[in-house]
Structure formats: structure tokens, C-alpha cells
Amino acid sequence: PAGSMALAASLLPPLLLLLLGRPGLGAPGQGAGTWSRFARLPYPQDQLFLHDTFPDGFLWGAGSAAYQTEGGWRQGGKGASVWDTFAHRPATPPGAAPPGPVGGDVASDSYNNLFRDVEALRRLGVSHYRFSLSWARLLPNGTAPPNPAGLAHYGRLLARLRELGVEPVVTLYHWDLPQALQDAFGGWASPVLPRLFRDYAELCFRHFGGQVRYWLTMDNPYVVAWHGYGTGRLPPGVRGGPRLGYLAAHHLLQAHAKVWHLYNDHFRPAQGGKVSIALSSHWIKPQRMTEKNIKECQKSLDFVLGWFAKPIFIDGDYPESMRSNLSSLLPAFSEAEKKYLKGTADFFSLSFGATLSFQLLDSHMKFQQLESISLRQLLYWINSEYNNPQIFIVENSWFVSGTTKKDDAKYIYYLKKFIMETLKAIRYDGVNVFGYTVWSLLDGFEWHRGYSIRRGLFYVDFQSHDKKLMPKSSVLFYQKLIEKNGFPPLPENQPIEGIFPCGFAWGIVDNYIQVDTTPAQFLDSSVYVWDVHQTKKLIKVDGVYAAKRKRHCVDFAAIRLQISLLQEMHVTHFHFSLKWSLILPLGNLSLINHTLVHYYQCFASELLRVNITPVVALWQPMVENQELPVSLAKYGAWENTGTVQAFVEYARFCFTSLGDHVKFWITMNEPSVKNLTYTAGHNLLKAHAKVWHVYDKEFRRSQKGKISIALQADWVEPACPFSRNDQEVADRILEFDIGWLAEPIFGNGDYPEVMRAWLHRINGADLYNFHLPYFSEDEKKLIRGSFDFFALSHYTTTLVGSEKEDAVKYDHYLEVQMINDITWLHSPSRAAVVPWGLRKLLKWVKSKYGDVPIYIMANGIDDDQNMVHDKLRVYYIQNYINEALKAYTLDDVNLQGYFVYSFNDKTAPKYGLYSYIANQYEPKPSLKHYREIIGNNGFPGPETPELLCPEEVASCSECHFFRTRKSLLAFISFVFVAFIVTIFFITYYSKRVERRYK
């Protein structure tokens, strides 16, 4: 049954993904299948949010790096690091925002606030904390003797973590090489460094190894080697070119291997820990899905991640693509070195996010392909390429502006995306990820970008003396996520079974119907002769005419076609708008387009003939002249009070001409508040109210119809659900977007108080000068209650925040930041598909305006012209209607009808349920799906009680006479049949008598 379709859809992705296969035994080059695999995953199911939890025992943590957060660069006997030297150069690091703190001299001052940081960890409820040891703090000269103060500092940190039950994940080297080693040996360019690094590691294992189970030898050797010794962008700033960059990487790999073997041979038996190396990577996608481009993508990953991962996880040597392309630039490993290097990691430690992606990735290493931030695909690639390793994500997040304080919505939604992708990699793709580390615990010095961005869960005021931590909204998000171990299914996320009431309006929308007043051939009174011998054509006979017959509505071929297409849908209602500018071209009754009016009359009557109720809007704004008569558009449009009276006259004419056929009126359809001035909106409301009263007093009794206004009403959600500021912004936008026109009509007859208060505030601050007009008491009385129902158009949901993050998407007038949840499904035009937003909107309307009858007059999504992507619309219709059913069933919203936008692609390209190609209409799969929902009146399940509805016949004025005189018609029919039978028998027997006498 249709009721179980949504539930089945929720189970579909894992089943289909299993059919597509999970990675088998990994091997170099196998990762190349990643791009084609993800290109053929089921759409849109694979892109939907996955409500599920992580495996039991999954590790949740946060991280930091010594130089970024510790500060205390001259405290406790610490020696200088290459970053200290680099930051103190006269030139500020690229991307930094002077004036401000210098490098990591003080940073977050974690060295003096150890218990502050640990308290933040306790508040989060993490299972582990990744931090790095400062080599220069423990060995100020890079070599013995050790610094007692440094050893004591990290000893205190580890002891406090043990008290809280937080697992330490310790990085030995996170970019801050002692400056003494750089000065004495040339840093990682020297073959001496691997041995010195081993000595440093031994010190750490001896002093701290009993309390540490997870060790990382170093972080992101790609950045250290390439930008530290190749390009010189980062410390120690050596511009040695590619050759020195590859040599430094060679020594980093050797150093890592020495430390792993040291631990494996001498410390593992007693301490029982694990050792790995934190490797960073980007993700890359092909410009086009060609074999050549995919090979280039594979090469890009080889040159960044594979450079270090393949020697460690596969065979001790560099990727083949590097060896074949770089020739003598790339150092060579001996066979003994390969054997020594191979297998020197107990798990795959991955860093992914804002440090490397779109920042420190060398452009040449993209190989003319497109960088992307798909963590899921990278995890799958690693799984395929490196023999299904256990993966520990030890650094991941994005960033927000350096000015963002508490409400870091952008950060939250990137975090949500990355964690969701990790969950999908585990549940859908069979990737073995056992831990996740958000970066970072608190704001700090962000390397080459200085303090211009923030990546912490906790806010740090770098200008303050005490450096107190303030939890951002992301703290609450991550905290709740850890508590729930993911995104468990919630009842409100599940589809429901049930049906709508009898008489529920199932409709379709066409902004403007196709108008073609060309008469049919049957109205041609001329006589023709068919030349069957020569031309084979019809030849008109001059001067000879047949009797003319009366015009009929079926003579309009365009109407017949549209009616037949609508019948195929099984809809009960059809919503379209009249063209005021064409019906009354001069804006008044001095010139009437009677032909067009007759066409509309015919269209409405033909709809009624096939039991489809016409829902007609008097006016819908369009781009050209707002769809007003030119004379009105030219003189101020809705700014001019004359347009109000002209609209009243036009409406009265339409009620008179079409009222016998139309019982469901919309005064104005989707007036766009984005393009309205306050004066125009004022006049528009008065025009609507006056038209409503005209219908109520002059036409309702005889025509027995209903009338209201239809407003566009997209839902607005606070970007940070825990933020009072964001909630206030969302409430403000709802009042400006919907309440502006709704409150006077459905509420108290005046504009929302929120609007007046806000405009008073910004006008008082001399920022703007916007005047919101006032209604007189009589006007309030006129407007208040001028409705029979609440009609709304709903397409999507928008997130809004209070903190300015992106200037392009920031509205200075309303002080609102538009935010995008990148985990949401989006259409080709980037409209967000958020079904639950419709339910929230309907509940909001009910809470504000009471138990008013509600019609969803338009709800739809765009697609591309590929029929495959009509699956998006199938999903959209299914789930939005299901949310509407929840509002009706669970929230007692008085929902009376639902209309899909739109009828066809000819009048609304990319939105139609019918495609229009080569002058032909073809039904899309979404049409058939909508028809099935209509047939079931919703989503009935096995437990849904059967609803017996009386058959309804659409109102037809011509049919009224016959329906009310059924007995008389039956008698007349009987007399007529008896008369025919009598005549037949008289004729029959008369002929028999004549033959007998002959």
C-alpha cells in the first residue's frame, strides 16, 4: 500500500548500496573505482539524511595542538620552535588579521589554564582528547637534557585526564620543531633528524607511556615537507623546491618508522598501546566522468595522501604514479628500508578538513581536477586502497569567521555533514571507522591564517587577560550528538500511515493556463470539394455556405487537450490565475476582451463537466508590469490608490462573468513581499479586503462560493536551535515574510507588532528611514476577517542566524544571516528539500490564527530535464504530503487541500508533472505517484479504518436545472420512449398490410 512506501524508502539505501557492493580486499589502484561507484548510487535516497547511531564503543573526542593553544612560549624553560621564529618575522603570516596577538606566543594560554581545558572536556562528555607535546618544551634544545617543568606540565594534564576517564591521544610532533635542530642540522632536510626524533620519542614513551594507549608520531607530514622545505609558505620557511620537499618527506617517513619500531620492540609489551601517524588528505572529483580524468584524480590522491600512506600501509615504497612522474626528484628506498617501513602503523589515522582542503593543497597536485570536501568518499577510497584498515579520524571540522562568537551555525552544519558522512561510510559502505575527533576543543592560532578564522568549540577572547572559555552553540550540538551516539531515529522523522478526510481537495497548479482562442474547423460554414484525382486536397467552393451552428466550448482545441491531461491526473481541483492585463487592457471596463472572457468561461465549465473544481486567482504578480494593465503599472502600480478601486471593478466584473462556474476564488496569488514597498503592501491589503466584501455582499448568496488571499509561506528555522538570538531572528523573518500580510487579515487587523518595533528601532538609529503606514479603525475593521480560508504556497525552508558570517548572504536591513544546511537534499536550483518545514509552518499558522481552514495552494520542486531526476520530485511529493498528513492527524490542523506545483513544463519549466518536448506532453513518474496518493486519499495502512465518502459532483450551473427535476425528467423520458415505440409499431404493421394487398 501507498502508506508503507515512505517506510520502505527509508530502508532502500542500505539495501541498494549492498547490491552495489562494498570494497573487497584493498590494493593499490583499487581506490580508482570510488568515483564511478558513487556516481551510480541511488538518487535521491543516498543523499538523504541517515537517522542511525554509530557502533557501540565508538570514540568521540576533541583535539588541539601545542603551538596553536598552549602559549607560554617563554615560560617554564621552553625553547624556541620554528613556529616561534617564523611568527616573529617582520611580515605577518599570510591571511592573519593584524593588529592582534603575535603567533602562538599566548594564543589560548592553555599552558596556564590546564584545568580550564579539562573542564571543557568534561562538559562535552568526550571519550578522548587529542593533544600534542611540544618538543621544544620537553627538550628545549631538541636533545637531552629534558626540561623538568615541561615533563611536569604534561604529567599533570595526563593525570587530570585519567581522573575524568578521558583517553589521551598524544601527538609527538605537530609542526613545532625545535629551532635549535633547524639551526644545527637544517631540520628535516637532514638525515640526522630521524635518529633525534627517535630519542625524543623514547623520552615521551618512558615518562608518559603508562598513561597513553594511542600515540601519533607526527601530524600531516605533507604540509611539513612540502610547505616547510619546498615552497617555504610555512616554518621553517625554506624554499628548497620540490627536490628538498621530497627529501624532507623521506626523512619524516624514516623518523616515523624508527619510532614505531622503538615502541613495538621496547614499550608495547609493557604499555600495550598503539602507534600511528596522522595523515592529512583532500578529496578530488573529475571535471567529467572520463577514464582519463579519474586517473588524474587517483594521481592527485597518490601525490598527497599516498605519498606517505602507501609506504606505510602497503609495501614500503612510494606510489607508482609518483615514481614514474618524478624520476630522480624522488628519493629511493633500499629493499631493507622498504621492509622496515612497511606496516609501521597500528591503525589509519586521518586528518581531513580546513587545514589542507582549499588552503594548503598545492594547486599542481590537483592535476586540473576539482577539489571537493566529501569525507565519505575519501574514507571509501582509503578502505579500497589500503586493505580495509581500521580508521581513526583524528582531526575534522571546518571554520567560521574570526568575528563569530557564540552562534557558530556554519561550523555546526559542516560538522553535521562530516559526521553524517562518517556514519554513512560505516553503515552503507562497510568502512571500519572506530573514532572521530572534532577540531578543535577551543579557538587558537590557525597557522598561516592567524586569528582570522576560528575552529574551536569553545570561544576564546584573545584580547582578554584571563582567556575564559565560552561555549559556542556547537558545544551543545556535539554534546547531544555524543550522548545519543549519532542521530537516532525520532518518531517525528518517521512517515505515518493514514488518510485525509472526505472532500479533501487534491489539486494541481498552473500559473496561467494556455490560452488559444483559434476557432475549431467545425465553425467554418464554407463548403469544400475533395479533389480525389489530382491535388488530393480540399477545394473551397466559392459562394456556397452551409448553415452556421452555435459555438460550443469544446470547439477550443487547447481546452480539450488541457482538460484531458488534467483528467489523467485524477485531481479534484485545478488552480490557475486570470490575466488582468489582458481581460481589461486599459485597466477599466471601457475595453473588455470578451473573447478571452468566453475562453475562461469555457475552460471553467469544461472543468466542471469532468468534475474538476476550478480555483481561480484574480491576480498573480509576474515580472512584466507585475501583471497589471499597462495604464496602472505606468502610474505607480500598487503605490497608487487608484489601483485599489480598479482592482475592485475588475473583480466585480470577473464575479459577474465567471461566478456561475467558479466557486473557489483567490483575490491575489503569492504577492511577493520581497518586491513590495510598505505603501504598496498597504494598498494591496485594502484592495483584497474590499474585493472580499464585494463578493460577500453582492455574490456569495447567489453563487455560494468562497474567497481568500494566497500567501507565499516558506518556513524559517533558527540556524542554531539552542540560540535565543537565532530564534528571535527566525520569528522576525516569519513576521516580515508572512505576518506582514497575514496578521491584518487573519489576526487583529493591523501589522505585526514585531514589524513596527523593528522598524522603529532601525529608523531611530538613523540606519534607515522606512515608514510602515497606519490603518484607520474603519480600515482595520474592513481588513480583519476578510477571508474564508488560509491559502498558502510553500516550497522550501530557510535557516537564519544572528551572527554575520557571509557578507553575500547577510541582510543588513533585518540583521539576518542566511545559512545553508549542507546535509539537506537540494534541487538543481539549490532549493532545499525539507519536508518537516511544511508541518512546522502549518502548526505555526494554527497557533497564530486559530483553527482556520488551510489550503496548501502550491508545493513543488524543480528538476533537470533528465527523467532520472524526477525521482527527486517523487520523493518531494511523497514526503511533503506525508508531513501534511502529520499536521492534519497529529496536530489537528484544519487542512482542507493540497495542490502540487506545477501542471507542466511548458508554462513552468522544470516544475511540471508533464514534460513538454517537441510539442508533446508526456507524464513524468511523479505524476503517476501523485495519482496513486490521490487514489488512496493519502497513505492508508493495514490498520487504517476504511473511509466511505459520498461521491461528489462538481458544481455546474447548466446542470442544476436537471438535477433538481429528476422525477419530471424521468416521466418525460418515459413518454418519449413510449411515443417512439408506438410510431415504430404503427409503421411496421402499415407496411405489412400494404404488402398483403399487393
Side-chain angles (χ1 to χ4, degrees), residues 160-451:
R160 185 64 183 134
L161 292 175
R162 185 171 64 250
E163 289 173 14
L164 288 180
V166 175
E167 186 85 56
V169 178
V170 181
T171 309
L172 292 171
Y173 168 61
H174 201 128
W175 305 9
D176 49 352
L177 182 73
Q179 183 64 42
L181 298 183
Q182 182 63 36
D183 294 340
F185 304 104
W188 290 109
S190 169
V192 175
L193 259 288
R195 177 179 58 79
L196 298 179
F197 185 59
R198 180 196 178 282
D199 295 342
Y200 161 60
E202 184 174 3
L203 171 73
C204 298
F205 293 154
R206 290 194 186 281
H207 279 83
F208 310 126
Q211 302 173 72
V212 179
R213 285 199 308 158
Y214 294 99
W215 290 98
L216 301 174
T217 56
M218 58 187 67
D219 182 90
N220 204 340
Y222 165 85
V223 167
V224 175
W226 192 255
H227 292 302
Y229 295 86
T231 67
R233 285 185 64 188
L234 299 180
V238 179
R239 298 180 181 178
R243 186 179 297 278
L244 192 61
Y246 290 123
L247 181 62
H250 202 69
H251 295 151
L252 284 162
L253 280 166
Q254 290 172 330
H256 159 77
K258 280 183 180 293
V259 171
W260 187 90
H261 281 286
L262 168 69
Y263 189 85
N264 192 59
D265 296 343
H266 300 286
F267 293 95
R268 193 190 301 274
Q271 296 178 0
K274 295 183 177 182
V275 180
S276 187
I277 179 173
L279 300 180
S280 186
S281 184
H282 62 306
W283 182 247
I284 198 90
K285 62 182 182 180
Q287 293 262 16
R288 292 187 304 278
M289 283 294 291
T290 64
E291 187 176 344
K292 179 185 176 183
N293 285 347
I294 289 174
K295 283 182 179 179
E296 295 299 285
C297 288
Q298 180 78 2
K299 188 192 299 182
S300 176
L301 291 174
D302 279 346
F303 270 64
V304 178
L305 179 57
W307 183 3
F308 302 92
K310 183 176 174 287
I312 294 171
F313 289 92
I314 298 297
D315 60 5
D317 204 358
Y318 297 116
E320 173 59 32
S321 59
M322 292 186 74
R323 287 187 284 123
S324 60
N325 279 271
L326 297 175
S327 184
S328 61
L329 281 177
L330 195 65
F333 290 114
S334 67
E335 290 303 316
E337 287 176 325
K338 289 178 187 177
K339 187 177 179 181
Y340 188 73
L341 184 54
K342 177 183 175 182
T344 55
D346 300 321
F347 54 90
F348 198 110
S349 177
L350 177 65
S351 168
F352 181 79
T355 302
L356 182 65
S357 296
F358 296 96
Q359 286 296 317
L360 294 175
L361 176 66
D362 192 283
S363 59
H364 295 97
M365 293 183 182
K366 297 179 187 180
F367 295 98
Q368 298 182 330
Q369 305 308 308
L370 303 174
E371 197 172 355
S372 175
I373 52 170
S374 175
L375 175 57
R376 179 185 170 190
Q377 293 187 47
L378 175 61
L379 289 170
Y380 185 88
W381 186 88
I382 291 169
N383 205 44
S384 303
E385 193 79 7
Y386 301 120
N387 202 17
N388 302 48
Q390 284 189 312
I391 301 175
F392 193 175
I393 299 173
V394 295
E395 177 185 341
N396 178 238
S397 75
W398 207 242
F399 62 89
V400 291
S401 164
T403 59
T404 299
K405 291 186 178 180
K406 185 177 179 182
D407 297 326
D408 52 344
K410 174 184 170 184
Y411 185 91
I412 288 176
Y413 289 108
Y414 272 95
L415 206 58
K416 183 180 173 186
K417 166 190 165 63
F418 291 136
I419 294 172
M420 169 56 52
E421 290 188 350
T422 303
L423 181 60
K424 286 183 176 181
I426 294 170
R427 296 301 186 195
Y428 289 172
D429 308 329
V431 180
N432 186 0
V433 183
F434 68 90
Y436 178 89
T437 312
V438 68
W439 199 269
S440 63
L441 174 65
L442 66 167
D443 291 335
F445 175 73
E446 289 301 330
W447 307 120
H448 63 295
R449 303 183 75 174
Y451 295 97

Side-chain angles (χ1 to χ4, degrees), residues 623-643:
V623 175
E624 187 176 359
N625 293 327
Q626 301 181 52
E627 193 39 56
L628 295 171
V630 174
S631 58
L632 297 177
K634 207 157 132 189
Y635 294 101
W638 288 108
E639 297 273 340
N640 189 336
T641 54
T643 305

Side-chain angles (χ1 to χ4, degrees), residues 599-807:
Y599 187 91
Y600 283 134
Q601 289 171 337
C602 285
F603 198 97
S605 65
E606 288 299 299
L607 285 171
L608 293 170
R609 188 178 61 80
V610 295
N611 288 332
I612 297 176
T613 300
V615 180
V616 179
L618 294 169
W619 173 72
Q620 176 166 343
M622 298 298 281
V623 175
E624 187 176 359
N625 293 327
Q626 301 181 52
E627 193 39 56
L628 295 171
V630 174
S631 58
L632 297 177
K634 207 157 132 189
Y635 294 101
W638 288 108
E639 297 273 340
N640 189 336
T641 54
T643 305
V644 175
Q645 191 54 42
F647 186 64
V648 174
E649 291 178 7
Y650 160 65
R652 183 180 280 111
F653 171 76
C654 291
F655 297 151
T656 303
S657 305
L658 302 171
D660 288 340
H661 308 290
V662 179
K663 311 300 179 187
F664 199 142
W665 288 99
I666 301 293
T667 55
M668 300 159 176
N669 193 53
E670 297 185 25
S672 175
V673 296
K674 305 292 185 189
N675 301 318
L676 272 183
T677 65
Y678 291 128
T679 301
H682 201 69
N683 289 333
L684 189 145
L685 282 166
K686 289 192 284 188
H688 154 78
K690 287 184 176 183
V691 166
W692 187 89
H693 283 284
V694 164
Y695 189 83
D696 190 55
K697 292 174 183 176
E698 300 177 24
F699 297 94
R700 190 187 298 276
R701 181 174 297 177
S702 61
Q703 296 182 0
K704 297 180 171 56
K706 54 188 175 184
I707 184 169
S708 196
I709 188 172
L711 304 176
Q712 181 164 339
D714 288 334
W715 181 243
V716 179
E717 184 78 2
C720 293
F722 322 108
S723 166
R724 182 181 300 175
N725 291 337
D726 284 10
Q727 184 62 61
E728 288 177 0
V729 169
D731 292 341
R732 180 161 68 245
I733 300 304
L734 284 170
E735 294 295 358
F736 271 82
D737 283 1
I738 305 173
W740 177 7
L741 299 181
E743 185 65 27
I745 298 169
F746 299 93
N748 62 10
D750 201 356
Y751 296 115
E753 183 55 36
V754 169
M755 284 186 73
R756 288 211 184 275
W758 182 258
L759 292 174
H760 178 74
R761 181 193 140 185
I762 63 173
N763 288 338
D766 293 327
L767 298 173
Y768 299 93
N769 186 20
F770 290 113
H771 174 64
L772 189 61
Y774 286 87
F775 293 113
S776 68
E777 289 303 316
D778 287 341
E779 288 172 335
K780 289 180 184 179
K781 187 176 178 181
L782 176 79
I783 297 170
R784 183 172 59 242
S786 58
F787 68 91
D788 296 331
F789 50 88
F790 196 113
L792 60 89
S793 300
H794 175 83
Y795 302 97
T796 188
T797 289
T798 304
L799 291 171
V800 295
S802 56
E803 298 229 22
K804 183 177 180 181
E805 179 66 37
D806 180 355

